[in-house]
Amino acid sequence: MLINISDDQEVLKSLATDDAFLESLLLRITNAKEPNANEMAMLLANLAKSDSIKRVLTLTRAVPKDLSTSKNAMDQLMDCFVKGAEGRYNKNADLDYLSYFFADMAKHPEGRAYFVTPQPHDNNIIPLTKLTVFTEHSSLIRRRGVASTIKNVAFDVPSHPRLLSSSTSDGVNLLPYTLLPLMGPEEYGEEDTEGMLEDLQLLPPDKEREKEPEIQKTHLETLLLLTATRKGRDQLREVKVYPIVRELHVQTDHDDVRESCDRLVQVIMRDEEDEGEDNSGKMVTEIEGDEDDEIVDIL
């Protein structure tokens, strides 16, 4: 009932600002024996439509045994999501809907900062790297939420060097996890594969492309956001993003995906000589935005 009525703004405000109710939800979601954990995660995702829920980012609470080593509620939810995939933490729940909650947290600057900041309590692991591995997961809900979280984080241009870095110590290595879902079993010529990321070469003949057009579009929009600086555009060119997008354009039957392919290709294939740049490499004249450049708000 609460899931269904929480789209009412008055109900949403009442639930989202109630600290005791929030703790009750967190207690149940992180409980390995809670039979309704999935429903609780759905409700939490709905409550994230209220800006007041971003307090979860700094909220501390008791550490759930066998789940996390952190007192931070957001860390605990991340651990719950990762360990809970396919019912491995709670046999009654897959906790996929937490990915929708993360996407809404990443709408806030504080949320984006959390996802790209190494966590000292967790061997300095960058939280976003815990989510990128799910871009090709079997669960549509998990893939959609993770893709939207990644896109929302990519709105933070200063974090792009970290997002694009493949460093094992302080990089997210985002490109393979964003590009692989866009690829099928197609074979590429030598010219196309020269410089392509190793993880994207010699894919098996049964490699399947992401089937959901909306998720394809989200990944393309993430790549477009990563072209905000000259360094980002150059890196996308160097790793041969164009041939991958070209093949997707050929294979898709969806106009929205084709349009997103076209927009990305126009940016990475254009002549840079006449573009104004500041010292940071950011374009002086910004790419014109439309609804595709807006932060993802999963309904």
Side-chain angles (χ1 to χ4, degrees), residues 145-214:
V146 166
S148 297
T149 303
I150 292 170
K151 177 187 171 181
N152 287 349
V153 171
F155 276 90
D156 183 40
V157 176
S159 72
H160 284 188
R162 172 164 283 173
L163 294 176
L164 290 167
S165 171
S166 58
S167 168
T168 56
S169 59
D170 63 356
V172 174
N173 194 27
L174 186 58
L175 286 180
Y177 299 102
T178 306
L179 290 168
L180 268 173
L182 303 178
M183 302 179 72
E186 299 83 18
E187 294 184 4
Y188 294 88
E190 184 176 344
E191 184 177 346
D192 287 339
T193 56
E194 185 177 356
M196 191 177 285
L197 297 172
E198 288 186 12
D199 293 340
L200 310 183
Q201 298 188 37
L202 303 176
L203 298 179
D206 59 349
K207 169 67 172 71
E208 293 187 355
R209 181 178 283 105
E210 168 62 55
K211 292 183 173 64
E212 179 61 42
E214 196 60 35

Side-chain angles (χ1 to χ4, degrees), residues 229-230 275-284:
T229 66
R230 175 65 183 267
E275 296 287 359
E277 302 276 345
D278 62 19
N279 291 332
S280 67
K282 185 175 181 180
M283 290 181 61
V284 177

